[in-house]
Amino acid sequence: MKIVAKQEVARIVQVLKAAGKKIVFTNGCFDILHVGHVRYLAAARQLGDILIVGLNSDESVRALKGPSRPINTAADRAEVLAALAVVDYVVIFDELTAANLIETIKPAVYVKGGDYKLEDIPEAPAVVAYGGQVVIIPAVPGRSTSNVINKIGATNCEC
């Protein structure tokens, strides 16, 4: 199963690292999956052997994005992410940042999207502290969940 509990991910990572696998980790809300997400995750996966995605829980998405979000539940978002061939594991977390997961996983590479600057990534210090690499992958212009939501809202759709 690709969707794993926080407790299980530590064991999985230990086995993978012992086998010499290079772990790449990223995290986010991934509320309405779009081509920007797909290209981002594909680029992240190319940086190593295994891609683990930390997925914000519904509660943490609400805290980060506001009371009208997420659009899709964590279970649904996790299942959609897990269906992507480039994603090896998905782990849902409740905190506002993925710092605790990073401490557990200690990925060789931590990836964020181009809408971030290195100094604005709260997890970056933890990654640098154990010798990991932080990589920022450029955003796909015009592709964002907010754009999708705004477009739907502009159509007055009763979808």
Side-chain angles (χ1 to χ4, degrees), residues 73-154:
T73 67
D76 286 356
R77 291 180 284 124
E79 188 173 335
V80 170
L81 284 168
L84 298 175
V86 298
V87 175
D88 294 292
Y89 296 98
V90 177
V91 58
I92 298 170
F93 67 98
D94 294 317
E95 299 83 8
L96 296 181
T97 75
N100 287 340
L101 267 180
I102 286 171
E103 288 296 326
T104 298
I105 296 169
K106 290 187 173 51
V109 182
Y110 176 59
V111 179
K112 286 303 279 184
D115 49 339
Y116 285 88
K117 293 180 184 147
L118 184 60
E119 59 271 14
D120 297 331
I121 300 173
E123 298 88 352
V127 176
V128 171
Y130 66 77
Q133 178 185 11
V134 178
V135 174
I136 296 174
I137 294 176
V140 178
R143 304 302 201 279
S144 73
T145 300
S146 295
N147 285 351
V148 172
I149 291 170
N150 291 338
K151 189 172 184 177
I152 292 168

Side-chain angles (χ1 to χ4, degrees), residues 9-118:
V9 78
R11 182 191 58 76
I12 290 168
V13 166
Q14 184 178 23
V15 170
L16 291 169
K17 287 182 178 181
K21 300 295 184 186
K22 183 177 183 181
I23 308 292
V24 178
F25 177 77
T26 191
N27 64 282
C29 300
F30 300 99
D31 194 6
I32 299 175
L33 204 65
H34 53 75
V35 72
H37 289 132
V38 172
R39 291 177 188 171
Y40 167 78
L41 292 168
R45 179 61 170 76
Q46 291 181 357
L47 298 173
D49 302 310
I50 301 292
L51 176 60
I52 301 173
V53 178
L55 182 66
N56 287 84
S57 69
D58 294 341
E59 295 77 20
S60 65
V61 173
R62 270 190 286 284
L64 292 166
K65 305 283 186 175
S68 65
R69 300 279 300 278
I71 303 298
N72 293 298
T73 67
D76 286 356
R77 291 180 284 124
E79 188 173 335
V80 170
L81 284 168
L84 298 175
V86 298
V87 175
D88 294 292
Y89 296 98
V90 177
V91 58
I92 298 170
F93 67 98
D94 294 317
E95 299 83 8
L96 296 181
T97 75
N100 287 340
L101 267 180
I102 286 171
E103 288 296 326
T104 298
I105 296 169
K106 290 187 173 51
V109 182
Y110 176 59
V111 179
K112 286 303 279 184
D115 49 339
Y116 285 88
K117 293 180 184 147
L118 184 60

